[in-house]
Amino acid sequence: MLDKVRTQSVKDMMTAIARRARAAAPVIARASTEKKNAGLLAAAEAIETARADILAANAEDCANAERNGVAGAMLDRLRLDERRLAGIVGALREVAALPDPVGETVAEWTRPNGLKISRVRVPIGVIAVIYESRPNVTIDAGALCLKSGNAAILRGGSESFASSRALHACFARGLEAAGLPAGAVQLVPTTDRAAVGYILAGLDGAVDLIIPRGGKSLVARVQAEARAPVLGHLEGVCHVYVDRDADIDKAVRVVVNAKMRRPGVCGAAETVLIDGARLESLWPPIGKALREAGCAIRADAAIRALDPETEPAREEDWGTEYLGAIIAAGAVDGVAGAIDHIARYGTAHTDAVVTENPDTAARFLAEVDSAIVMHNASTQFADGGEFGLGAEIGIATGRLHARGPVGLAELTTYKNVVRGDGHVRE
Amino acid sequence: MLDKVRTQSVKDMMTAIARRARAAAPVIARASTEKKNAGLLAAAEAIETARADILAANAEDCANAERNGVAGAMLDRLRLDERRLAGIVGALREVAALPDPVGETVAEWTRPNGLKISRVRVPIGVIAVIYESRPNVTIDAGALCLKSGNAAILRGGSESFASSRALHACFARGLEAAGLPAGAVQLVPTTDRAAVGYILAGLDGAVDLIIPRGGKSLVARVQAEARAPVLGHLEGVCHVYVDRDADIDKAVRVVVNAKMRRPGVCGAAETVLIDGARLESLWPPIGKALREAGCAIRADAAIRALDPETEPAREEDWGTEYLGAIIAAGAVDGVAGAIDHIARYGTAHTDAVVTENPDTAARFLAEVDSAIVMHNASTQFADGGEFGLGAEIGIATGRLHARGPVGLAELTTYKNVVRGDGHVRE
């Protein structure tokens, strides 16, 4: 009985959130750039003013999380301090400074009969963002949705509940100061997981797009249950293939950076593939540099024969996103072998080739079917900021709408505008 | 028991089709333009050669359909004759003549650090097209998927089964002649509706996109069951709003053409909205012209007061796609009233404003949130051919990936290609 009451009240809450989002969507879609920026800048100020409250809420979250056994990287992502708050405020100001994609004409042409056709960017509508316990996502995702003219429904992880509420309260003050509706960026005010179920069901058609940001289990739940379109951020089992025609210095630099710059990001390399035709000269400097950088190596038999210090790779290593200082290493039969390996074990996120041979590079770039393919560059460049998008809500690894970094433009769609002068069709 | 055997065998059949499609997808994705065109042209020749067989198969379909009580427009769409076969052959040649979208660079830029980033069109992968009993769709959809580098799984309506098989056999001969895999364009060789269920479930991840082409009940089933992304072709409840500042001659011409040129197409207007501020001068010539063109009118009280010859419109008329010579007519409170009416009753397909006032036009084009919005032009221009796309697989009314006419380019996605020279991230 209690459970039924609880479920009913979560359902009512989500229905009300959906109604407010749908009502806000056309308002925010048509809001001027100035008004949206005013909201973002006022939210930034509100966060600066409320620093003490936000940090107190976050301390409460962290204490609860520690009591519940949360530790390590997860606890670290949850924790806020003055520096991180300054980063959140800075991100709001950066988004305010970015060009507004809404209204941009992406294509236009005139038909022989004189009809003028254009494709104009418009917001997608209502975007639900489901994320784990990273309080900053509350602000980042809200800011990107607002600037791109979309209404946002934010559902953060339960461990960051108090922090997210405190941050969202500042965002709400920013919206109010700019005269924008509170429904434009809403935070789901419950940790009840039933709320996620309603979002995944699409809130009776109120949700135009679901963006999951989080680990494997969250993405798996979204993929299994979502009844609305998803712009997915799968795990990144990223590869660097070092070809027989690689420049060895570039190869060492790229492999070490791709793995070790920040081993925990989704664009970090998890596997290095070495061309078997030059394994004996290529592997030793790469293996040595990885080890010196503090990376553990799980290698196949061919590499272990050269380098017995490595641990043996098991089958599951080829599909593992370590998110840490471990790399799988294997020999492949040239670029074709690398392409096959990536097709089999990759997650269509980001894969790189290191070679001085333009034909080999062209083949790799054409045949590896990932959202991002790279030549002579570190997979750690898989990032909206590094792409010059200004900011990103994540990396899309699906096939539709947008692939790779999802920035402001990728959070829009288009409408077709046709202008005539009394034109009728024959 | 028999049912279980049947279900199992359909499941096995669909699993095999999915496997062949996935195997063919990378081959067709990388096939040269010349090879794809050779396949299309060889298919066109095969159809010309097999005309008698195709027409015999179609006569069988039509006879069965008539026995089962199929009549009217549905029977008409099913029927082939020499002229329609020539049209199908012509469509294949037209698609062969269109530019290949695959490999096109849609954007490119260079970062301050020298990284070169480009976005290059790639095929979506495996596209399942589910359609009703229009044999020509077997060829049209197959041709568009092939040219855009996608593998296609085609599931046509059961009434057109023999016709579709005969046509698909010709397509298969074309693929073979060009040295392309048979898995590139497959027709589901059963009328068992369980096959549709497996497709909607996504064939264990083998289907990247589902395109339904058909009436309300098919689209409703797809929306309820699809577990893979859908590029939807909803019904078109299209509107023409005639503003107080309309040129009356243009208004009459556009309204009559939008409704009566071909009342059965999805871009046909179903409702005409008249600015209440000038109802008395606007309505009489529009009503007269519609009636002279053979159109029945279901009007609201304001119009009936002026024109008692009209029938009364009921509430459900505002949301009905008549697909025939009937139009709903109502007075609205200026452009704001028209925008509200369309938001309430429209299907986000195509809506038009007739006005000489640029501010009114701009407001309508900005605030009506449909895939296609038009100014002083007939909604019957809602068509890929009329847009200059060469051909279309239909009109998408969803919000993601593509909106409006879906031609070759809209059947592709992109990958991000990053070129460096040993670049590593700080």
Side-chain angles (χ1 to χ4, degrees):
Chain A
M1 184 61 199
L2 261 177
D3 248 28
K4 199 175 160 191
V5 168
R6 188 211 76 176
T7 305
Q8 188 56 43
S9 91
V10 174
K11 184 163 202 252
D12 290 347
M13 175 197 291
M14 296 312 296
T15 303
I17 286 176
R19 203 172 43 232
R20 281 194 295 270
R22 278 256 72 97
V27 179
I28 191 75
R30 297 201 281 269
S32 68
T33 306
E34 292 67 33
K35 210 163 186 174
K36 293 185 288 189
N37 289 346
L40 294 168
L41 296 174
E45 272 182 48
I47 292 173
E48 287 187 324
T49 305
R51 282 204 308 273
D53 294 346
I54 296 166
L55 292 176
N58 183 252
E60 187 192 312
D61 277 340
C62 290
N64 284 334
E66 280 184 280
R67 256 197 305 281
N68 293 326
V70 174
M74 199 172 162
L75 186 63
D76 179 60
R77 286 197 290 264
L78 175 58
R79 200 177 300 280
L80 293 176
D81 55 23
E82 289 283 355
R83 194 182 56 80
R84 285 186 174 178
L85 267 187
I88 290 172
V89 167
L92 275 167
R93 294 190 170 132
E94 276 167 31
V95 173
L98 289 173
D100 188 338
V102 177
E104 189 196 340
T105 298
V106 291
E108 55 185 333
W109 64 97
T110 302
R111 299 287 302 147
N113 61 9
L115 275 184
K116 290 185 178 60
I117 301 180
S118 57
R119 288 184 167 171
V120 177
R121 282 198 199 283
V122 296
I124 289 169
V126 174
I127 299 180
V129 185
I130 305 173
Y131 51 102
E132 290 177 343
S133 293
R134 297 187 178 203
N136 62 304
V137 176
T138 306
I139 298 298
D140 288 353
L144 288 165
C145 288
L146 176 65
K147 182 73 183 248
S148 56
N150 295 288
I153 297 173
L154 308 174
R155 173 48 156 86
S158 52
E159 290 84 2
S160 63
F161 187 64
S163 322
S164 289
R165 277 196 99 151
L167 285 164
H168 177 261
C170 298
F171 209 112
R173 284 200 281 280
L175 291 173
E176 198 185 350
L180 292 167
V185 179
Q186 297 177 83
L187 179 72
V188 176
T190 174
T191 58
D192 194 318
R193 286 170 68 90
V196 176
Y198 292 116
I199 293 173
L200 294 179
L203 294 173
D204 282 326
V207 173
D208 295 304
L209 179 66
I210 297 171
I211 298 183
R213 279 195 61 170
K216 216 168 170 171
S217 66
L218 171 63
V219 174
R221 181 173 179 199
V222 171
Q223 290 189 324
E225 292 183 33
R227 305 293 299 157
V230 174
L231 205 52
H233 301 68
L234 275 178
E235 55 178 351
V237 177
C238 303
H239 298 76
V240 178
Y241 164 62
V242 181
D243 180 63
R244 68 192 67 181
D245 295 325
D247 174 296
I248 185 64
D249 291 336
K250 290 181 195 170
V252 169
R253 210 159 63 229
V254 167
V255 170
V256 172
N257 185 267
K259 174 76 250 184
M260 295 302 292
R261 176 187 157 271
R262 281 184 62 194
V265 300
C266 63
E270 307 295 357
T271 299
V272 56
L273 301 171
I274 311 283
D275 191 339
R278 224 184 116 198
L279 187 62
E280 281 151 39
S281 62
L282 289 172
W283 177 257
I286 292 172
K288 178 164 176 280
L290 281 168
R291 223 175 272 116
E292 283 173 3
C295 187
I297 298 163
R298 302 193 183 163
D300 70 354
I303 289 178
R304 297 203 74 221
L306 282 176
D307 185 352
E309 272 186 75
T310 56
E311 290 171 63
R314 297 148 305 159
E315 174 64 17
E316 58 264 38
D317 280 305
W318 307 115
T320 298
E321 186 181 31
Y322 299 114
L323 297 171
I326 309 172
I327 198 164
V332 291
D333 188 7
V335 66
I339 291 166
D340 287 349
H341 181 103
I342 293 167
R344 183 159 172 201
Y345 296 106
T347 53
H349 191 295
T350 301
D351 298 291
V353 59
V354 182
T355 187
E356 297 301 305
N357 183 325
D359 295 338
T360 304
R363 184 169 176 196
F364 184 95
L365 296 175
E367 299 193 13
V368 171
D369 193 20
S370 298
I372 307 172
V373 288
M374 295 185 165
H375 176 209
N376 287 348
S378 165
T379 57
Q380 299 248 349
F381 284 111
D383 173 87
E386 292 299 320
F387 269 58
L389 307 187
E392 68 165 30
I393 202 160
I395 305 278
T397 56
R399 301 198 63 76
L400 290 178
H401 189 71
R403 299 181 81 201
V406 177
L408 289 174
E410 292 74 21
L411 290 175
T412 66
T413 182
Y414 64 85
K415 63 163 59 162
N416 298 273
V417 178
V418 180
R419 291 182 173 89
D421 184 30
H423 281 67
V424 296
R425 191 167 166 194
E426 297 293 305
Chain B
M1 184 62 199
L2 261 175
D3 249 27
K4 198 175 161 193
V5 168
R6 188 211 75 175
T7 305
Q8 189 54 44
S9 90
V10 173
K11 183 161 202 252
D12 290 347
M13 175 197 290
M14 296 310 297
T15 303
I17 286 176
R19 202 171 45 234
R20 282 195 294 270
R22 277 255 75 95
V27 180
I28 191 75
R30 297 201 281 268
S32 68
T33 305
E34 294 66 34
K35 210 164 187 174
K36 293 185 288 189
N37 289 345
L40 293 168
L41 296 173
E45 271 182 48
I47 291 173
E48 286 187 323
T49 306
R51 282 205 308 274
D53 293 347
I54 296 166
L55 292 176
N58 183 251
E60 188 191 312
D61 277 341
C62 290
N64 283 334
E66 281 186 279
R67 258 197 303 281
N68 293 327
V70 174
M74 199 172 162
L75 186 63
D76 179 61
R77 287 197 290 264
L78 175 58
R79 201 178 298 282
L80 293 176
D81 55 23
E82 288 284 355
R83 191 182 58 81
R84 285 187 174 176
L85 266 188
I88 290 171
V89 167
L92 276 167
R93 294 192 169 130
E94 277 166 32
V95 173
L98 289 173
D100 187 339
V102 177
E104 190 196 340
T105 299
V106 291
E108 55 185 333
W109 64 98
T110 302
R111 298 288 303 146
N113 61 8
L115 275 184
K116 290 184 179 60
I117 302 179
S118 56
R119 288 183 167 173
V120 177
R121 281 197 198 284
V122 297
I124 289 169
V126 174
I127 299 180
V129 185
I130 305 173
Y131 51 102
E132 290 176 344
S133 293
R134 299 187 176 202
N136 62 305
V137 175
T138 306
I139 297 299
D140 288 353
L144 287 165
C145 288
L146 176 65
K147 182 72 183 248
S148 55
N150 294 289
I153 297 173
L154 308 173
R155 174 49 154 84
S158 53
E159 290 83 2
S160 62
F161 187 63
S163 322
S164 289
R165 277 196 100 150
L167 285 164
H168 177 260
C170 298
F171 209 113
R173 283 200 283 281
L175 291 172
E176 198 185 350
L180 291 167
V185 179
Q186 298 177 83
L187 179 72
V188 175
T190 175
T191 58
D192 194 318
R193 286 170 68 91
V196 176
Y198 291 116
I199 292 173
L200 294 180
L203 294 172
D204 282 325
V207 173
D208 295 303
L209 179 66
I210 297 172
I211 298 183
R213 279 195 59 169
K216 216 168 170 171
S217 65
L218 171 63
V219 173
R221 182 175 179 197
V222 170
Q223 290 190 325
E225 291 183 33
R227 305 294 299 158
V230 174
L231 205 50
H233 301 68
L234 275 178
E235 57 178 350
V237 177
C238 303
H239 298 76
V240 179
Y241 164 62
V242 181
D243 180 63
R244 67 193 67 180
D245 295 324
D247 173 298
I248 185 64
D249 291 336
K250 289 182 195 169
V252 169
R253 210 159 64 228
V254 167
V255 171
V256 172
N257 186 269
K259 175 76 248 184
M260 294 303 291
R261 175 187 158 271
R262 282 184 62 194
V265 299
C266 63
E270 308 295 357
T271 298
V272 56
L273 301 171
I274 311 284
D275 191 339
R278 222 184 116 198
L279 187 63
E280 280 150 38
S281 62
L282 289 172
W283 177 257
I286 292 171
K288 179 164 176 280
L290 282 168
R291 221 173 273 117
E292 282 173 4
C295 187
I297 298 162
R298 301 193 183 163
D300 70 355
I303 289 178
R304 294 203 76 220
L306 281 177
D307 185 353
E309 273 186 76
T310 56
E311 290 171 62
R314 298 148 305 160
E315 173 64 18
E316 58 263 40
D317 280 305
W318 308 116
T320 299
E321 186 181 31
Y322 298 114
L323 297 172
I326 309 172
I327 198 164
V332 290
D333 188 8
V335 66
I339 292 165
D340 287 349
H341 181 102
I342 293 167
R344 182 157 173 202
Y345 297 105
T347 53
H349 191 294
T350 301
D351 298 291
V353 59
V354 182
T355 187
E356 297 302 303
N357 183 324
D359 295 337
T360 305
R363 183 168 175 195
F364 184 95
L365 296 175
E367 298 192 14
V368 171
D369 192 21
S370 298
I372 307 173
V373 287
M374 295 185 165
H375 176 210
N376 287 348
S378 165
T379 56
Q380 298 249 349
F381 284 111
D383 173 87
E386 292 298 321
F387 269 57
L389 308 187
E392 67 165 30
I393 204 160
I395 304 278
T397 56
R399 302 198 62 77
L400 290 179
H401 189 71
R403 299 181 82 202
V406 176
L408 289 174
E410 292 75 20
L411 290 175
T412 65
T413 183
Y414 64 85
K415 64 163 60 161
N416 297 275
V417 179
V418 179
R419 292 182 172 88
D421 185 31
H423 282 67
V424 296
R425 191 169 166 193
E426 297 293 306

